[in-house]
Amino acid sequence: MSEWDITTVGLILVGCSIIAVGLIIAAMLLGVLQAFIPFLLLTAIVLVVMGAAVILYVDRKCRHET
């Protein structure tokens, strides 16, 4: 089994956050309208951006080392 590195964690963060956004939007389409749903969407979007930033940082760091 390979070791967990920061790129793997970033990819998992992005993937899970996109799935969460899809589930939240599906719940909204089914009529589940709660007051906290916009905050959940905003949190998931922030997590996607953070995960993408981590992936880009590691990619740029690896390019400078080689």
Side-chain angles (χ1 to χ4, degrees):
M1 184 173 168
S2 65
E3 294 183 22
W4 287 78
D5 58 350
I6 195 163
T7 306
T8 306
V9 173
L11 289 171
I12 291 173
L13 182 66
V14 169
C16 291
S17 297
I18 291 172
I19 291 170
V21 168
L23 290 174
I24 293 168
I25 291 173
M28 288 175 59
L29 290 174
L30 289 174
V32 179
L33 297 175
Q34 300 292 327
F36 58 86
I37 285 183
F39 300 110
L40 288 176
L41 282 173
L42 182 64
T43 303
I45 290 169
V46 168
L47 289 174
V48 168
V49 171
M50 286 175 48
V54 166
I55 293 168
L56 290 174
Y57 172 75
V58 171
D59 183 51
R60 183 168 293 203
K61 184 179 171 185
C62 288
R63 286 186 185 188
H64 284 293
E65 288 178 359
T66 58

